[in-house]
Amino acid sequence: PSEIPWWHAGVIYQVYPRSFADSDGDGIGDLGGVIAKLDHLERLGVDAVWLSPVYASPMVDNGYDISDYQDVAPELGTLAQLDDLLAQAHARGIRIVMDLVVNHTSDQHPWFLDARSSTQSPYRDFYWWRPPREGHVGGEPGAEPTNWGSVFSGPAWEWDEATGEYYLHLFAPEQPELNWEHPPLREAVYSMMRWWLDRGVDGFRMDVVNMISKRVVPGSPGLEDTPLGEAPEDTSGGTDHTAYGDPAPHVFNGPRIHELLAEMHREVFDGRPAGLVTVGEMPVTTVEHARLYTDPARREVDMIFTFEHVDLDSGPGGKWDVVPLPLSALKRSLGAWQTGLADVGWNSLYWSNHDQPRPVSRFGDDSPEHRVRSATALGTVLQLHRGTAYVFQGEELGMTNAPFASIEDFDDVESLGHHREALARGEDPEAVLAALRTKSRDNARTPVQWTAGRHAGFTTGEPWLLVNPNHVEINAESQYDDADSVYSYYRRLIALRHDEPVVARGDFTMLVPEHEQLYAFTREHDGVRLTVVANLSSDGPLDPVAEGVPVPDGAEVVLTNEPDSGASDVLGPWGVRVLRS
Ligand code: TEU
């Protein structure tokens, strides 16, 4: 029925354009490269592309620091090319969802350049400015207005000598935080969003949008310290919770967040055609918050990205404090979100994006023996949960983390910031490098591997970031005509999502929740049951029935990565089977 939104059974493919495909030989991926690869996306069967930022930017955070929301960065292409991409994607039935980064701008945005020119600037209140802490001299350590740490290490306040105040940045100093308490700022953002919808984009992925409402308290400076050493709510970022206060309680899911999201929805989407989609990226968010954010009756956002399951292998010291991840913990988290949003709201389903390491290396087994099957098993388990499925570029190829030899191989401002701060704290350089190799965002940003040839066919120039040497074995060209490749399997998996209503509609029930090797669940709707069972381990074959997974009589195998597999056969390492009954 028409009232079921396309994104219920849909699959959204994330393109990080800088690393996707380079069409002009400058070593940087661009819009021309995206247009050139639309066949790859159409054959895969995806419904939409989430395009990471292509706006004008000094590229301190690879485009998440925007200096002009209504122009394209020259190294990524032109507005005309973006219009061409929209037209060509739409002609193929593929929607384009833009990345909206309005929690902060670049420090080179005209708003900020004007704001920092004078305390009397009409743009001053577009940002957060505060005098030095009482009794302190500006620019001296400890004079910051609050003790908050930045997600990218260091303090969250930058001293501006010229106007004698600090400005707030929860990410890099080049990413000043926007002040959403200020109505003219909100109007400017809504006007820009309407401009993009008028241009034909199909929605927005909203960068850290649950940070836009800060917890402001009466009195000066209106923003409060966090007691040092408090257990961090959000371990996804690099904030060092010993030297600085965790900003999470003051900046995530703040007091006006629902009011602001509802206002944005009203001002931007009311009266627009159906089919537009909004997904809020929301670190530090619970299921309870998500039920409010995604309840269609509240008209805030359609779905959110939670960080809960991608924080499970972060210890008390944050993401760089890598800890083991038992399968039961992963199932508990994903299962809780299925249960929590079963009666209201909607889930986003993802293993990876441009901020997370490659899933086959993180949750699977990227050894030559197990890589392909662990990639297809993980994809199946994820995409047959209830929610919109996301595929990050290269996931459909089974791409892996990359072998970064030294700190010189890394590019990411978050990783370099952590390396600098950790070594300044006297941490062991090799241990820091080991954590970077495991969790650095650069793992996801190595160029997509199109061929076994020079630079994996990504560029005819010199690539901006190292190309994984394993592109010789792992590349799109070698997978297109191989029925057993990850790409060919993902095509079947996405087709199943589209063709089997129970995937979008069915009730979810976790099976054998405490089992540390099997991930098994059912989906039921209208008398149809899918049973998904995967052996997510390298330890050897398992007999699901013997392990307590009920296999319905007469069940039909509708998808599997096991050769000639019967419904109740054992599952080899990383074997997965989907039964219909
Ligand atoms: O990321 C939000 C965010 O908090 C991430 O930085 C995450 O905590 C961390 O990367 C996990 O290691 C969004 C964008 O996806 C990210 O690329 C940007 O760097 C960040 O916001 C600032 O715009």
Side-chain angles (χ1 to χ4, degrees), residues 474-496:
I474 306 170
N475 61 74
E477 195 169 58
S478 69
Q479 297 192 26
Y480 288 139
D481 301 327
D482 171 1
D484 298 327
S485 68
V486 180
Y487 181 85
S488 297
Y489 185 95
Y490 260 64
R491 291 184 66 202
R492 297 195 289 273
L493 171 59
I494 292 170
L496 180 62

Side-chain angles (χ1 to χ4, degrees), residues 59 107 196 212 260 326 351 370 373 396 413 445 531 561:
M59 300 295 173
D107 63 349
W196 279 111
I212 62 177
L260 293 174
W351 288 134
H370 294 304
R373 283 153 65 80
E396 80 281 14
V413 62
R445 301 174 181 188
T531 303
N561 66 3

Side-chain angles (χ1 to χ4, degrees), residues 153-221:
S153 305
W157 294 93
E158 185 76 4
W159 174 242
D160 179 57
E161 190 67 47
T163 57
E165 291 190 321
Y166 284 88
Y167 68 83
L168 177 64
H169 62 87
L170 271 305
F171 295 96
E174 297 87 349
Q175 294 171 290
E177 214 76 7
L178 283 168
N179 171 13
W180 277 75
E181 302 295 321
H182 188 53
L185 176 271
R186 304 208 301 264
E187 277 316 310
V189 169
Y190 302 152
S191 162
M192 174 268 291
M193 291 175 72
R194 289 192 289 264
W195 184 85
W196 279 111
L197 292 182
D198 294 344
R199 209 169 185 104
V201 307
D202 300 290
F204 297 99
R205 173 268 187 185
M206 302 180 178
D207 191 62
V208 287
V209 72
N210 64 326
M211 293 176 79
I212 62 177
S213 168
K214 300 336 186 220
R215 197 165 65 85
V216 183
V217 295
S220 164

Side-chain angles (χ1 to χ4, degrees), residues 443-523:
N443 280 302
R445 301 174 181 188
T446 61
V448 172
Q449 295 162 199
W450 299 104
T451 73
R454 184 170 177 275
H455 301 320
F458 164 73
T459 180
T460 57
E462 284 312 304
W464 70 278
L465 186 66
L466 74 85
V467 171
N468 197 320
N470 68 14
H471 74 274
V472 179
E473 294 85 35
I474 306 170
N475 61 74
E477 195 169 58
S478 69
Q479 297 192 26
Y480 288 139
D481 301 327
D482 171 1
D484 298 327
S485 68
V486 180
Y487 181 85
S488 297
Y489 185 95
Y490 260 64
R491 291 184 66 202
R492 297 195 289 273
L493 171 59
I494 292 170
L496 180 62
R497 275 187 60 88
H498 288 147
D499 302 342
E500 183 55 74
V502 74
V503 176
R505 320 287 306 146
D507 295 335
F508 176 96
T509 306
M510 187 69 83
L511 304 175
V512 295
E514 293 313 313
H515 203 289
E516 293 297 355
Q517 289 175 274
L518 285 181
Y519 198 129
F521 58 88
T522 58
R523 303 290 313 280

Side-chain angles (χ1 to χ4, degrees), residues 5-71:
W6 63 268
W7 34 270
H8 272 205
V11 178
I12 300 181
Y13 185 98
Q14 183 193 356
V15 168
Y16 188 73
R18 190 180 192 83
S19 306
F20 187 67
D22 170 22
S23 68
D24 62 7
D26 67 354
I28 298 172
D30 48 38
L31 289 170
V34 182
I35 292 169
K37 296 297 180 184
L38 284 173
D39 284 347
H40 176 85
L41 301 177
E42 187 177 8
R43 278 189 70 195
L44 187 56
V46 300
D47 303 278
V49 164
W50 151 27
L51 192 60
S52 273
V54 293
Y55 315 100
S57 163
M59 300 295 173
V60 169
D61 188 13
N62 291 350
Y64 283 90
D65 51 315
I66 295 169
S67 55
D68 184 344
Y69 287 103
Q70 294 174 246
D71 199 2

Side-chain angles (χ1 to χ4, degrees), residues 302-557:
D302 293 318
M303 62 190 107
I304 73 161
F305 284 131
T306 173
F307 280 54
E308 187 178 289
H309 62 298
V310 293
D311 276 349
L312 294 171
D313 56 4
S314 299
K319 72 177 276 185
W320 308 111
D321 173 13
V322 184
V323 297
L325 170 55
L327 181 61
S328 55
L330 187 62
K331 292 193 281 189
R332 199 166 307 118
S333 174
L334 292 177
W337 281 77
Q338 291 289 303
T339 308
L341 295 177
D343 59 325
V344 68
W346 193 251
N347 271 294
S348 299
L349 308 171
Y350 76 98
W351 288 134
S352 80
N353 54 42
H354 62 292
D355 292 334
Q356 300 297 333
R358 291 279 179 185
V360 76
S361 300
R362 181 186 208 176
F363 302 112
D365 179 336
D366 60 13
S367 68
E369 182 188 1
H370 294 304
R371 184 182 57 76
V372 170
R373 283 153 65 80
S374 74
T376 52
L378 287 168
T380 307
V381 163
L382 181 78
Q383 293 212 18
L384 297 187
H385 280 67
R386 185 167 177 270
T388 299
Y390 287 77
V391 175
F392 176 64
Q393 64 183 41
E395 184 182 322
E396 80 281 14
L397 302 177
M399 279 177 63
T400 68
N401 280 0
F404 296 101
S406 71
I407 192 61
E408 280 67 42
D409 282 347
F410 291 93
D411 165 87
D412 175 22
V413 62
E414 179 192 53
S415 299
L416 298 177
H418 169 63
H419 184 262
R420 180 183 64 247
E421 295 280 320
L423 265 57
R425 286 198 298 268
E427 289 187 31
D428 167 43
E430 272 316 305
V432 173
L433 266 181
L436 287 172
R437 286 192 191 100
T438 305
K439 296 288 274 300
S440 168
R441 306 191 300 179
D442 281 324
N443 280 302
R445 301 174 181 188
T446 61
V448 172
Q449 295 162 199
W450 299 104
T451 73
R454 184 170 177 275
H455 301 320
F458 164 73
T459 180
T460 57
E462 284 312 304
W464 70 278
L465 186 66
L466 74 85
V467 171
N468 197 320
N470 68 14
H471 74 274
V472 179
E473 294 85 35
I474 306 170
N475 61 74
E477 195 169 58
S478 69
Q479 297 192 26
Y480 288 139
D481 301 327
D482 171 1
D484 298 327
S485 68
V486 180
Y487 181 85
S488 297
Y489 185 95
Y490 260 64
R491 291 184 66 202
R492 297 195 289 273
L493 171 59
I494 292 170
L496 180 62
R497 275 187 60 88
H498 288 147
D499 302 342
E500 183 55 74
V502 74
V503 176
R505 320 287 306 146
D507 295 335
F508 176 96
T509 306
M510 187 69 83
L511 304 175
V512 295
E514 293 313 313
H515 203 289
E516 293 297 355
Q517 289 175 274
L518 285 181
Y519 198 129
F521 58 88
T522 58
R523 303 290 313 280
E524 294 176 275
H525 178 69
D526 248 0
V528 174
R529 173 191 296 182
L530 285 185
T531 303
V532 181
V533 53
N535 174 2
L536 296 190
S537 81
S538 309
D539 296 345
L542 280 175
D543 173 352
V545 176
E547 300 292 326
V549 175
V551 172
D553 291 339
E556 173 202 358
V557 179

